[in-house]
Amino acid sequence: MAELKRRAVTDAQKQFRRQEILDGARAYFEAAGYEGFTMTQLASRLGIVKGTLYLYFPTKEAIILALYARALEDWCEAVKVKLAAPIAGDDFIQLFYDTATTDPILIPILTRLEHVIEHNISVELLVEAKRHFQACFAGIADKTQSALGLAPEQARELILTLGVLLSGASQSDQGPSLEGEELPQDVLDFIDSLSSQRIFVTNGRRILAGIRGGQ
């Protein structure tokens, strides 16, 4: 972290500094979560003054949005690799969920994106982020079209709808951890019925069937 204390002068140095901040921010986010993430603590972990962070990111949410953009890119690339060949509809829905939940920061940020994070960034940054998200989803839709045999507009509708479903379904996993607790079987069954995976997979398959039925 000694490099972070040196002043970045050239564009290359500034880009490298920004990347170092994001690398440290990701590790911190994984440990602290959204609620525990503060600019003060991030600066302390990086061994720099808080003012240095503000040279690169005006708010906590701007940093987290940058983390989300990078995680989204990684997820999109992982999905596109899996869609290089035709895939069954049910397998596609499961793949969409599994790849999205592999990264420990993607879903926690997604569930706070529109109702918290995007309210605390500039309009310019919001526009940039939306265009980036759109490009990522367009890339997946293109691969989905051939992998599932859909028309272009159907593939785009599917991907956008599944993205909304994933965000909503993931809210059901935000309750307290009950691991190790002894609960009645009926309560366990009820909790399981409300898991994000079950909600997403069940409704995702219905959505795909509906889109295909409209061909």
Side-chain angles (χ1 to χ4, degrees):
M1 293 298 177
E3 292 297 324
L4 277 170
K5 296 182 180 180
R6 298 177 183 175
R7 184 180 179 184
V9 178
T10 67
D11 289 342
Q13 289 173 334
K14 291 177 181 178
Q15 184 60 34
F16 184 73
R17 174 65 51 81
R18 185 178 189 276
Q19 188 59 55
E20 285 185 310
I21 291 173
L22 287 177
D23 288 342
R26 180 183 171 97
Y28 176 36
F29 187 93
E30 289 187 26
Y34 180 83
E35 284 71 21
F37 191 106
T38 69
M39 297 288 268
T40 300
Q41 286 301 313
L42 175 59
S44 177
R45 287 171 66 99
L46 294 174
I48 59 177
V49 297
K50 188 164 62 172
T52 300
L53 290 180
Y54 288 114
L55 293 175
Y56 296 87
F57 300 98
T59 63
K60 154 187 168 176
E61 287 78 15
I63 293 182
I64 294 175
L65 184 66
L67 293 179
Y68 178 73
R70 190 164 66 175
L72 184 66
E73 284 181 6
D74 292 342
W75 171 67
C76 288
E77 290 305 312
V79 173
K80 287 191 286 186
V81 168
K82 297 289 187 180
L83 296 180
I87 186 173
D90 287 357
D91 292 339
F92 171 80
I93 298 301
Q94 189 65 57
L95 168 69
F96 195 101
Y97 180 86
D98 289 343
T99 52
T101 54
T102 296
D103 190 325
I105 75 168
L106 187 64
I107 298 302
I109 297 177
L110 174 63
T111 57
R112 296 168 174 84
L113 191 63
E114 292 190 346
H115 68 279
V116 177
I117 296 171
E118 291 182 349
H119 289 273
N120 292 282
I121 58 175
S122 66
V123 173
E124 292 77 14
L125 187 55
L126 176 64
V127 170
E128 179 184 341
K130 291 296 186 182
R131 286 175 172 166
H132 179 255
F133 302 159
Q134 183 180 25
C136 286
F137 282 121
I140 294 182
D142 182 61
K143 292 290 185 180
T144 300
Q145 176 187 341
S146 56
L148 290 178
L150 298 174
E153 62 275 10
Q154 290 176 318
R156 182 178 183 278
E157 179 185 358
L158 176 63
I159 296 304
L160 292 178
T161 306
L162 289 181
V164 174
L165 174 61
L166 181 65
S167 178
S170 297
Q171 300 286 344
S172 65
D173 293 336
Q174 301 304 306
S177 173
L178 298 173
E179 185 176 355
E181 298 291 339
E182 294 187 7
L183 299 174
Q185 189 59 48
D186 63 314
V187 174
L188 290 173
D189 291 341
F190 179 68
I191 292 174
D192 181 63
S193 72
L194 297 176
S195 72
S196 65
Q197 179 169 354
R198 176 167 291 191
I199 292 172
F200 180 84
V201 170
T202 299
N203 289 284
R205 289 173 176 173
R206 291 170 178 162
I207 290 168
L208 176 56
I211 289 175
R212 278 179 161 164
Q215 287 181 321

